[in-house]
Amino acid sequence: MIVSQMLKTKDNPGVVSVKPTDTVTDAVKLLSEKRIGTVVVSADGETLDGILSERDIVREMGKRGITCLTEPVSVMMTSKLVTCKPSDTAIEVLEVMTNGRFRHLPVMDDGKMIGLISIGDAVKGRLAELSMEKDALEGMIMGH
């Protein structure tokens, strides 16, 4: 399964974003409201300035305490981003996430962000592929 197909199967295909000037507290509220683990940081909703995960927030709180919650997201976000393309496969995405030790990849198409793939989305896509392969093999064995 490729990323563009995975995006179509998501319950909520939109990308939740915050502005670089929003506070970390604003991001935490959004993460809680939406029950998600990551927000994209974008000044205009299309370009990709960074990404901020719950892990990033917890790590900084552990280092510096709760005062970091009043800072702008731009201070804490990851700005050196790894992205994927709509044509990337589930296996390629899983490999990138595993090697990079992160759980979300922004999907870019012609320089614009069109979605966000989580490791759960990629696993679900790969499981669907394996199920189809199994069914095809069973069909061949059974003579269908």
Side-chain angles (χ1 to χ4, degrees):
M1 182 173 286
I2 61 173
V3 169
S4 61
Q5 293 169 315
M6 286 184 254
L7 287 175
K8 290 177 185 171
T9 65
K10 288 178 69 97
D11 293 334
N12 184 4
V15 177
V16 177
S17 66
V18 294
K19 294 185 180 338
T21 55
D22 290 347
T23 66
V24 175
T25 298
D26 295 331
V28 167
K29 286 178 185 174
L30 194 56
L31 290 168
S32 177
E33 280 174 22
K34 301 287 185 181
R35 300 179 56 129
I36 56 176
T38 298
V39 290
V40 169
V41 182
S42 175
D44 62 9
E46 286 186 359
T47 57
L48 190 55
D49 298 316
I51 196 165
L52 181 69
S53 72
E54 58 194 3
R55 284 180 174 182
D56 296 330
I57 297 165
V58 169
R59 183 177 49 248
E60 287 303 310
M61 285 180 65
K63 286 180 192 173
R64 300 187 290 134
I66 62 169
T67 57
C68 67
L69 294 174
T70 60
E71 295 177 354
V73 168
S74 60
V75 171
M76 198 179 296
M77 72 182 187
T78 300
S79 55
K80 184 180 179 187
L81 296 171
V82 176
T83 63
C84 65
K85 303 180 298 291
S87 59
D88 289 343
T89 66
I91 291 175
E92 290 170 328
V93 167
L94 285 168
E95 189 173 303
V96 167
M97 288 180 177
T98 300
N99 291 339
R101 300 187 51 86
F102 42 82
R103 300 179 296 172
H104 298 86
L105 276 179
V107 183
M108 302 297 286
D109 191 21
D110 283 335
K112 290 189 179 179
M113 180 179 47
I114 61 166
L116 187 69
I117 291 293
S118 72
I119 198 160
D121 299 328
V123 168
K124 183 179 173 183
R126 183 63 183 132
L127 289 174
E129 282 178 334
L130 291 172
S131 179
M132 288 187 293
E133 289 171 13
K134 175 188 154 279
D135 291 346
L137 288 171
E138 284 178 352
M140 288 171 46
I141 291 169
M142 301 297 227
H144 295 104

